[in-house]
Amino acid sequence: MEPELGLPSAPSPSDANEQTTYDAQKLLASNADGCIFCDIVRGKLPSYKVFENEHVLSFLDIHPCSKGHTLVIPKAHHPRVDTMPADVAMNWFQSIPLISKAVLYATGAEDFNLINNNGVAAGQVVFHSHLHIIPRYPSVRPRMDRHGLRWLSTDLVPEEGVRLAEKMKEYLQRCTHARI
């Protein structure tokens, strides 16, 4: 049986501005039962982990749109960007430049899409906020619309997942900010 994926009501302005610090206990309490990404954060499901720190987890998408398609999630469960406190969004977004560079290094791509879907009409499938870093290659351009947004995915080959994740970690380990 699939979990119900209802959308929460929008937070009040005072909630949206509230600053919170997530310690380990609060983080675990914030994870939603039945959320596949929360299960990955908890270590209940495997992933091709690329990056992890106190606030963020990044791993390869198992149904990639291109080689190296990577997801970046806040560890705390928030279904949409508009439901998270500003400090959670800040910690999440601060990791994007570093992880993007690792994706480009590992794949040899020069360009990428950064995509975040919020809600069913926007194409969100997993209701735990996440960003897609999708490397783009000139040879694949004809498969995309004029905005580079055609969403054609395949299945991640396990051997390629291991190789790409290791190459991204190699890059990140050279950076002082990464804890893997």
Side-chain angles (χ1 to χ4, degrees):
M1 185 169 139
E2 294 207 16
E4 188 174 327
L5 300 174
L7 296 176
S9 60
S12 70
S14 62
D15 292 341
N17 293 325
E18 179 184 340
Q19 295 294 306
T20 56
T21 303
Y22 288 93
D23 60 19
Q25 292 287 52
K26 193 170 184 180
L27 176 66
L28 289 174
S30 72
N31 288 347
D33 289 333
C35 172
I36 190 170
F37 289 172
C38 288
D39 285 345
I40 290 171
V41 168
R42 290 183 187 121
K44 290 183 175 182
L45 289 176
S47 68
Y48 297 98
K49 190 185 303 184
V50 171
F51 174 87
E52 182 172 23
N53 68 19
E54 180 182 351
H55 306 284
V56 173
L57 180 64
S58 179
F59 48 91
L60 294 175
D61 193 312
I62 61 170
H63 300 292
C65 292
S66 69
K67 180 179 84 173
H69 181 165
T70 302
L71 301 175
V72 185
I73 67 169
K75 285 184 171 181
H77 182 86
H78 295 280
R80 301 161 47 114
V81 171
D82 57 339
T83 65
M84 69 178 62
D87 64 319
V88 173
M90 179 188 72
N91 288 319
W92 178 33
F93 278 84
Q94 281 181 332
S95 69
I96 300 305
L98 180 65
I99 298 168
S100 297
K101 289 174 187 173
V103 170
L104 296 175
Y105 170 82
T107 62
E110 294 180 14
D111 301 313
F112 63 94
N113 291 107
L114 185 62
I115 299 173
N116 172 251
N117 302 323
N118 290 276
V120 174
Q124 188 175 10
V125 177
V126 176
F127 292 87
H128 181 125
S129 284
H130 55 286
L131 285 164
H132 297 262
I133 301 172
I134 305 173
R136 294 302 188 178
Y137 307 92
S139 62
V140 184
R141 180 84 179 140
R143 293 174 53 196
M144 298 184 298
D145 67 13
R146 67 186 178 103
H147 299 291
L149 297 177
R150 177 138 313 146
W151 202 271
L152 301 172
S153 65
T154 61
D155 290 331
L156 179 62
V157 177
E159 296 79 20
E160 183 178 36
V162 169
R163 185 185 64 72
L164 285 168
E166 288 304 315
K167 191 149 181 153
M168 289 178 201
K169 287 184 211 179
E170 172 191 313
Y171 178 89
L172 292 166
Q173 286 172 344
R174 289 192 261 149
C175 301
T176 59
H177 305 301
R179 285 189 309 154
I180 300 173

